[in-house]
């Protein structure tokens, strides 16, 4: 069930109403049943995969808590293998097989390992990572094992964040699932506002830009350098609005039921360094990798060369987390390179910046911000292209930059894209740099109401209805 | 007992709903007025086709129909009134919808259906683009059968008075502001000027070769719903005994005989009132890039030559 569908509107209203009608002790059951229904609206049978990991991790959590010494570690490893095993089978099996075939052909051998013909379960990487964070936190002693099987199942399956995050930590969300949430006017209104903002990003910006992007990326042989640049920039904005729009709707929907999910995006395209970008982009995944991979590898408390290696490992795995293809690995590799180069240049930039007056410094930050956007956008080409060959072809086509670009079906399509981008960045500029100018939370009720009604009608007039699903569902 | 918090929320929610309803009504009326006051451009052409057109010859199709069939030449050579209802980026479901509305008003003597070789291939856009018909649903309820294909709850969305004008504001304003600079169409026909250069033609050839090679490796499915629409369109012409021409108009590069193309021809041949004409392999057009405005469309010279040739075949 997609957030941007009428079916979801019905589902959401019914579930939220029932949530407040149900007595507290039965609410977990309502939410769990609703979450199962929500998930089964995609491919029903895949709920069994979720059930498998839920049972394993639930039992593992209890036994890890009870166990001591090596046994404790062994139970954690069993739980992690089960989770990663599910990912390996459903997400990476065919990719590994592809590479074996490629290597075998290079050695004039034949690979007889059969391929699996199945769809990737929606949001598999998200709920698997959330489940893994539970057993790791229990192992570390930061979280008590959850005894209530229904509540634990809900922790993994909570419908707003089930298929595309934010990837929650047990310390934040499990306690909230036990707590009684009274109806709160503030939560309802703030939740709705965040949902409306998410719908704006998804329907007005992401789905509009996707019409252009989806025309160019599958056929790179047909497009010149100017078109490649436009489509890459459009995709950079599309994926941001698609994913952060989803997060906003998820966080808003949860908020209306009294749940506070973690912030997942903080206006990342106004960042002036790559590390700042990553502290504002998909925060729940970045912090997951930081806490469960980067720091255990030694983080930055090791030699500088080892820190660089740790960064590379984290970003390569982050690439692979996104998808089983070399495109994503290259995307991760590029970000690894950006991070290392950023670390090397940091002292130089700091020294340089200390000599600038405030006016020039602002201009310098603008240039740096533009540079970060260009680097991130370049990496997105690999992320979005159907194959590595297509990505390199697009980069090769950049030689013809300056030729007349493809403008879609004329003023209507391209003009809408530009209007959508202008609206997004204007509002986000005020959010980032002029937070005192409040629209949706203005103390003047007329301004507040007018801006919310205005936002809804912008969605109705400029939005793309019947658009596609969210990009991150595939991960 | 409901607490004050809940009551206060629902009171404000009702007030909010009333405001939304009122704004929707006012804004919808304003957009409707803006939309239907257009005199030129694609929306005005849609309005004319759906609300007024009742010619002897009707042309249906996508942009290739709109730019390839000169109303003046066909009308002069055949001695009939004509309207070209071809529209940019449209597919069979749209042609069927427009056909249903116009044939309620008048039965033409001749119908020309211009089809693309990929007409029966999969393309989700062909149903999404039916959204262009939403402003006309209130006036022509038969269109609901088609707009329902856009999405499951499409007709429910029409409760909103603003929704039918979704994505029309920009072009409405643009057409109003630049109405004097916009070129006039000739009974729906819109000639394209300029011609493909030799350099561009060579580029098209290279790109087409890559595209055809890529396509050859792909398993292209036939869209059975599009096939059903194709049958529906032709059956209606047969029921009303309208002489019909299914035409694949000229292409600058020779098009291969794909499965979709063969199916277009074999279905057309099942109807006794239908004649199938394929210009996609016609050597008087293939490679004659001077007759084309771009990779897919004839220019004014090409359209003139083609329209004369077609008129001779129809006579």
């Amino acid at each position: 069930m997609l957030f941007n569908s009428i079916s979801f509107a019905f589902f959401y209203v019914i579930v939220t109403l029932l949530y407040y009608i149900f007595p507290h002790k039965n609410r977990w059951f309502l939410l769990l049943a609703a979450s199962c229904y929500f998930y089964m609206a995609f491919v029903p049978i895949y709920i069994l995969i979720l059930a498998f990991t839920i049972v394993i991790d639930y039992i593992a959590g209890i036994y890890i808590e009870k166990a001591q010494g090596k046994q404790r570690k062994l139970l954690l490893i069993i739980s992690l293998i089960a989770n990663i095993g599910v990912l390996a089978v459903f997400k990476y099996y065919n990719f590994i097989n592809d590479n074996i075939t490629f290597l075998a052909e290079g050695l004039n051998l034949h690979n007889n390992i059969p391929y699996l013909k199945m769809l990737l379960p929606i949001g598999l990487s998200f709920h698997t990572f959330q489940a893994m964070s539970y057993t790791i936190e229990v192992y570390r002693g930061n979280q008590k094992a959850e005894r209530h099987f229904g509540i634990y199942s809900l922790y993994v399956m909570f419908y707003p964040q089930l298929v595309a995050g934010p990837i929650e930590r047990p310390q934040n969300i499990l306690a909230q699932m036990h707590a009684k949430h009274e109806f709160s006017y503030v939560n309802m209104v703030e939740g709705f506002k965040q949902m409306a903002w998410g719908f704006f990003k998804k329907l007005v910006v992401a789905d509009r830009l996707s019409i252009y992007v989806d025309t160019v990326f599958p056929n790179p042989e047909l497009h010149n350098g100017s078109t490649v640049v436009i489509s890459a920039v459009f995709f950079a904005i599309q994926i941001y609005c698609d994913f952060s729009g989803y997060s906003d709707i998820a966080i808003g929907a949860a908020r209306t039921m009294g749940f506070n999910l973690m912030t997942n995006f903080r206006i990342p395209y106004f960042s002036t360094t790559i590390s700042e970008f990553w502290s504002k982009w998909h925060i729940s995944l970045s912090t997951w990798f930081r806490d469960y991979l980067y720091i255990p590898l030694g983080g930055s408390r090791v030699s500088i060369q080892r820190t660089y290696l740790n960064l590379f490992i984290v970003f390569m795995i982050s690439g692979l987390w996104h998808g089983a293809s070399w495109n994503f690995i290259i995307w991760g590799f590029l970000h690894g390179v950006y991070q290392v180069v950023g670390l090397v240049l940091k002292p130089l930039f700091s020294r340089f910046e200390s000599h600038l007056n405030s006016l020039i410094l602002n201009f310098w930050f603008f240039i740096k911000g533009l540079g970060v956007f260009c680097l991130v956008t370049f990496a997105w080409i690999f992320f979005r292209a159907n194959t590595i060959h297509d990505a390199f072809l697009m980069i090769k086509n950049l030689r013809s930059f300056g030729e007349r670009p493809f403008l879609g079906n004329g003023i209507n399509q391209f003009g809408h894209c530009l209007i959508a981008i202008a609206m997004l960045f204007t509002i986000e500029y005020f959010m980032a740099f002029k937070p005192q100018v409040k629209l949706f939370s203005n103390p003047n009720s007329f301004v507040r109401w007018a801006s919310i009604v205005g936002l809804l009608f912008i969605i109705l007039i400029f939005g793309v209805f019947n658009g596609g699903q969210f990009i991150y569902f595939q991960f | 007992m409901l607490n004050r918090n809940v009551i206060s929320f629902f009171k404000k929610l009702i007030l909010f709903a009333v405001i939304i309803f009122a704004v929707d009504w006012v804004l919808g009326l304003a957009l409707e007025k803006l939309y239907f006051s257009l005199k030129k451009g694609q929306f005005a052409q849609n309005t004319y086709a759906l609300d007024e057109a009742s010619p002897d010859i009707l042309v249906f199709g996508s942009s290739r129909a709109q730019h390839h069939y000169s109303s003046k030449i066909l009308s002069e050579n055949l001695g009939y009134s004509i309207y070209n209802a071809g529209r940019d980026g449209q597919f069979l479901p749209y042609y069927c919808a427009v056909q249903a509305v116009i044939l309620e008003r008048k039965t033409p003597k001749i119908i020309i259906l211009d089809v693309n070789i990929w007409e029966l291939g999969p393309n989700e856009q062909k149903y999404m683009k039916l959204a262009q018909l939403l402003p006309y649903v209130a006036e022509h309820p038969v269109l609901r059968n088609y707009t329902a294909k856009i999405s499951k709850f499409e007709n429910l969305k029409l409760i909103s008075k603003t929704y039918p004008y979704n994505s029309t504001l920009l072009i409405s304003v643009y057409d109003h502001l630049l109405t004097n600079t916009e070129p006039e169409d000739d009974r729906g026909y819109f000639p394209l000027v300029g011609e493909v250069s030799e350099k561009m033609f060579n580029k098209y050839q290279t790109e087409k070769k890559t595209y055809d090679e890529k396509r050859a490796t792909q398993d292209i499915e036939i869209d059975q719903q599009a096939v059903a629409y194709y049958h529906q369109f032709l059956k209606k012409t047969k029921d009303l005994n309208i002489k019909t021409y299914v035409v694949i108009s000229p292409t600058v590069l020779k098009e291969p005989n794909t499965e979709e193309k063969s199916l277009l021809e074999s279905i057309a041949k099942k109807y006794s009132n239908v004649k199938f004409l394929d210009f996609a392999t016609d050597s008087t057009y293939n490679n004659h890039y001077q007759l084309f405005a771009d990779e897919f469309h004839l220019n004014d010279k090409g359209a003139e030559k083609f329209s004369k040739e077609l008129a001779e075949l129809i006579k």
Side-chain angles (χ1 to χ4, degrees), chain A residues 33-87:
Chain A
S35 300
C36 288
Y37 177 80
F38 180 85
Y39 190 75
M40 288 169 77
F42 296 104
V43 182
I45 192 78
Y46 283 158
I47 198 147
L48 296 177
I49 301 165
L50 264 173
F52 170 75
T53 52
I54 286 169
V55 170
I56 294 275
D57 293 328
Y58 171 74
I59 297 169
I62 291 170
Y63 281 97
I64 287 170
E65 193 178 58
K66 283 182 186 165
Q68 299 290 327
K70 282 185 179 174
Q71 202 189 7
R72 198 172 158 82
K73 197 167 196 170
L74 183 69
L75 285 163
L76 174 70
I77 289 169
I78 290 170
S79 148
L80 295 182
I81 287 175
N83 285 292
I84 294 169
V86 169
L87 266 182

Side-chain angles (χ1 to χ4, degrees), chain A residues 147-397:
Chain A
R147 259 53 188 188
H148 191 305
F149 182 70
I151 296 273
Y152 176 72
S153 305
L154 185 58
Y155 161 75
V156 179
M157 292 195 66
F158 186 41
Y159 88 81
Q161 36 99 233
L162 171 61
V163 288
I167 303 166
E168 280 294 340
R169 305 303 160 78
Q171 296 96 314
N172 178 40
I173 199 77
L174 264 173
Q176 293 189 54
M177 280 165 177
H178 282 284
K180 184 178 180 184
H181 299 138
E182 298 292 350
F183 182 92
S184 152
Y185 179 86
V186 174
N187 278 342
M188 290 303 287
V189 172
E190 293 305 315
F192 282 147
K193 282 183 202 169
Q194 191 152 6
M195 287 174 84
W197 181 234
F199 280 118
F200 168 82
K201 283 183 185 168
K202 171 67 177 164
L203 301 175
V204 178
V205 189
D207 285 351
R208 179 67 64 184
L209 298 180
S210 79
I211 299 170
Y212 185 90
V213 170
D214 293 349
T215 311
V216 177
F217 271 88
N219 303 299
E221 66 280 3
L222 301 180
H223 298 287
N224 62 33
S226 309
T227 307
V228 167
V229 170
I230 293 171
S231 60
V233 169
F234 277 13
F235 179 67
I237 300 166
Q238 181 204 343
I239 194 165
Y240 164 58
C241 288
D242 191 279
F243 192 20
S244 71
Y246 181 92
S247 294
D248 284 328
I249 300 166
I251 294 167
R255 177 96 190 255
T256 57
M257 292 185 285
F259 292 91
N260 284 309
L261 302 184
M262 71 184 291
T263 302
N264 217 11
F265 290 86
R266 282 201 194 96
I267 315 179
Y269 284 140
F270 289 149
S271 304
T272 55
T273 63
I274 289 289
S275 59
E276 186 189 350
F277 172 83
W278 276 106
S279 69
K280 294 176 172 179
W281 178 277
H282 201 176
I283 298 165
S284 64
L285 180 71
S286 308
T287 50
W288 196 102
F289 276 120
R290 181 198 64 199
D291 295 345
Y292 304 128
L293 186 61
Y294 182 66
I295 291 174
L297 284 172
S300 57
R301 294 182 175 188
V302 285
S303 68
I304 192 76
Q305 290 83 359
R306 183 57 203 260
T307 302
Y308 294 162
L309 180 67
N310 289 346
L311 279 170
F312 260 112
I313 292 170
V314 167
F315 278 94
M316 298 281 270
I317 292 178
S318 168
L320 204 55
W321 177 90
H322 282 87
S325 115
W326 284 100
N327 286 45
F328 294 108
I329 296 174
I330 293 177
W331 173 79
F333 172 81
L334 281 173
H335 276 281
V337 172
Y338 295 164
Q339 288 276 6
V340 170
V341 173
L343 271 183
V344 172
L345 292 177
K346 198 177 171 185
L348 283 174
F349 279 173
S350 298
R351 241 178 294 151
F352 174 69
E353 284 159 10
S354 67
H355 292 98
L356 302 176
N357 68 37
S358 67
L359 189 72
I360 299 173
L361 194 63
N362 280 341
F363 181 69
W364 166 245
F365 282 139
F366 172 75
I367 297 293
K368 270 175 83 179
L370 206 60
V372 167
F373 183 76
C374 291
L375 289 172
V376 171
T377 300
F378 179 76
W380 285 131
I381 294 176
F382 288 92
F383 194 97
R384 174 61 182 82
N386 289 350
T387 62
I388 295 181
H389 174 262
D390 280 3
F392 280 112
L393 185 58
M394 290 184 86
I395 292 163
K396 195 177 149 198
N397 287 352

